Amino acid sequence: MDDYANIWLHRAKWAYLLLIVATLMSPVFYVMYISFNENGFGAAEYEFTTRWYGLIFSDGQLMAALRWTLGLAVTTTLLTIPMALLAAKFYKATRAKVAVVFLLLAPLFVAPDILSAALLVFFKNVNLSFQWLGDAAGVTFMDSWFRLGFGTTVIGLIIYTIPYAFVVILITMGRYNKEQTEAARACGATGWRAFWDIEFPQIRAGVFSASAFTVILCFNEYTRTSLLKGGFDTFTTVLVSQMLNEGMSEQSYAMSSFVSVIAIALIGGIIVFTLLRSEAAARKAQPVAEPNTAPA
């Protein structure tokens, strides 16, 4: 806040921001509230307990779904982030920036239901084609290449998450001066050393943020996962199935709260770390940029 700003207006803006965040997060807070109720959702009497958190790891269905979801999230992140990073570097180097952005963001323009149904039909037809080729060649190892399962779900999640990862990394890259890479190359560094030693340390906050964002998107995604997953359950599909049938169990409320807290702590930690690093870098750069303001 500068010296001419109204302190009450400044505080009103903070109050407005906190009100918006509290409103958006109120469903999550309500789930956390229910997860500590001994009598579960809808009970007339609220009795505080932490018992459901001790039982979540004994719920076989939830733990199996959580393991599948973690596997999907880790695999998708390991594949999506390098692809998004290369796309962002290509965007910085090419003159056709509008075309690159349009192509990378194109999956967001298609409704999730339509894109998921299209992928479902596509994979089924591709799998039938490979089965026909295998039958014609007398081999069977191609029969499961595109059968609905882990691989097809990962492909669907990559299509879903790569636009977000690309945008997050690109925003961070906007602060990087490419002349630093040129200077490193002029001093004899290879392209990889120039990237790893000079560029990556300055954009890694964006890479880590994109990674965390991708993991959270994989946990939240339902439409693509439910249509492309084949015969296993994920965390989200189990919760939705419970809600549509007999209602979520108390362990599911506890697990939902547990996952939400981890996601909030992860994103919050990255934001705080990034802000602290930015402030430290600004304090370090100030004596160089403004030598007359440096303390004696």
Side-chain angles (χ1 to χ4, degrees):
M1 189 178 71
D2 57 48
D3 297 335
Y4 304 99
N6 186 309
I7 182 63
W8 290 107
L9 182 59
H10 181 72
R11 291 173 178 173
K13 291 177 181 177
W14 268 106
Y16 173 75
L17 177 63
L18 292 175
L19 177 63
I20 293 295
V21 173
T23 302
L24 295 175
M25 293 295 293
S26 57
V28 178
F29 296 148
Y30 183 70
V31 169
M32 294 178 181
Y33 171 77
I34 294 297
S35 69
F36 289 104
N37 186 6
E38 172 67 28
N39 302 316
F41 175 76
E45 184 178 353
Y46 189 92
E47 184 179 351
F48 179 82
T49 183
T50 58
R51 186 163 70 95
W52 306 122
Y53 285 88
L55 295 176
I56 55 178
F57 297 107
S58 63
D59 190 319
Q61 185 185 30
L62 269 181
M63 293 307 299
L66 190 62
R67 283 193 291 271
W68 277 111
T69 306
L70 279 173
L72 288 172
V74 171
T75 305
T76 302
T77 303
L78 290 176
L79 295 174
T80 297
I81 298 305
M83 295 168 67
L85 182 58
L86 288 174
K89 287 184 68 64
F90 179 66
Y91 170 86
K92 296 285 289 185
T94 185
R95 293 183 178 179
K97 298 185 184 303
V98 175
V100 173
V101 170
F102 176 78
L103 292 173
L104 264 296
L105 301 188
L108 298 180
F109 303 149
V110 183
D113 294 342
I114 297 175
L115 184 57
S116 304
L119 286 173
L120 175 64
V121 174
F122 173 76
F123 285 132
K124 283 190 171 182
N125 285 305
V126 171
N127 191 54
L128 288 175
S129 299
F130 274 90
Q131 285 181 345
W132 179 83
L133 287 175
D135 292 340
V139 295
T140 59
F141 65 91
M142 294 187 293
D143 291 356
S144 60
W145 280 5
F146 290 95
R147 185 176 296 164
L148 295 181
F150 190 88
T152 55
T153 310
V154 167
I155 294 173
L157 289 174
I158 290 174
I159 295 172
Y160 170 50
T161 57
I162 197 169
Y164 298 101
F166 167 72
V167 170
V168 172
I169 294 174
L170 191 62
I171 291 172
T172 310
M173 273 189 172
R175 297 180 301 178
Y176 178 72
N177 192 343
K178 66 178 183 180
E179 280 74 16
Q180 296 178 68
T181 299
E182 296 173 357
R185 297 300 302 272
C187 292
T190 62
W192 167 251
R193 298 305 311 183
F195 167 75
W196 187 251
D197 294 336
I198 305 298
E199 184 175 3
F200 183 74
Q202 300 184 56
I203 66 171
R204 62 186 171 193
V207 174
F208 292 155
S209 299
S211 301
F213 199 31
T214 301
V215 170
I216 292 172
L217 287 174
C218 291
F219 264 85
N220 293 339
E221 172 58 15
Y222 172 76
T223 307
R224 297 168 184 80
T225 304
S226 62
L227 290 179
L228 302 176
K229 67 182 177 58
F232 62 88
D233 290 323
T234 64
F235 183 62
T236 310
T237 58
V238 168
L239 295 185
V240 173
S241 176
Q242 289 182 352
M243 287 298 296
L244 293 177
N245 292 288
E246 74 274 11
M248 284 173 59
S249 65
E250 286 75 11
Q251 294 96 312
S252 298
Y253 279 105
M255 180 66 87
S256 301
S257 302
F258 185 68
V259 172
S260 299
V261 169
I262 291 177
I264 293 171
L266 185 62
I267 293 296
I270 291 175
I271 293 174
V272 170
F273 175 77
T274 304
L275 291 175
L276 292 176
R277 287 291 302 268
S278 299
E279 290 185 3
R283 285 196 299 270
K284 187 176 180 180
Q286 185 178 10
V288 179
E290 302 175 11
N292 295 331
T293 62

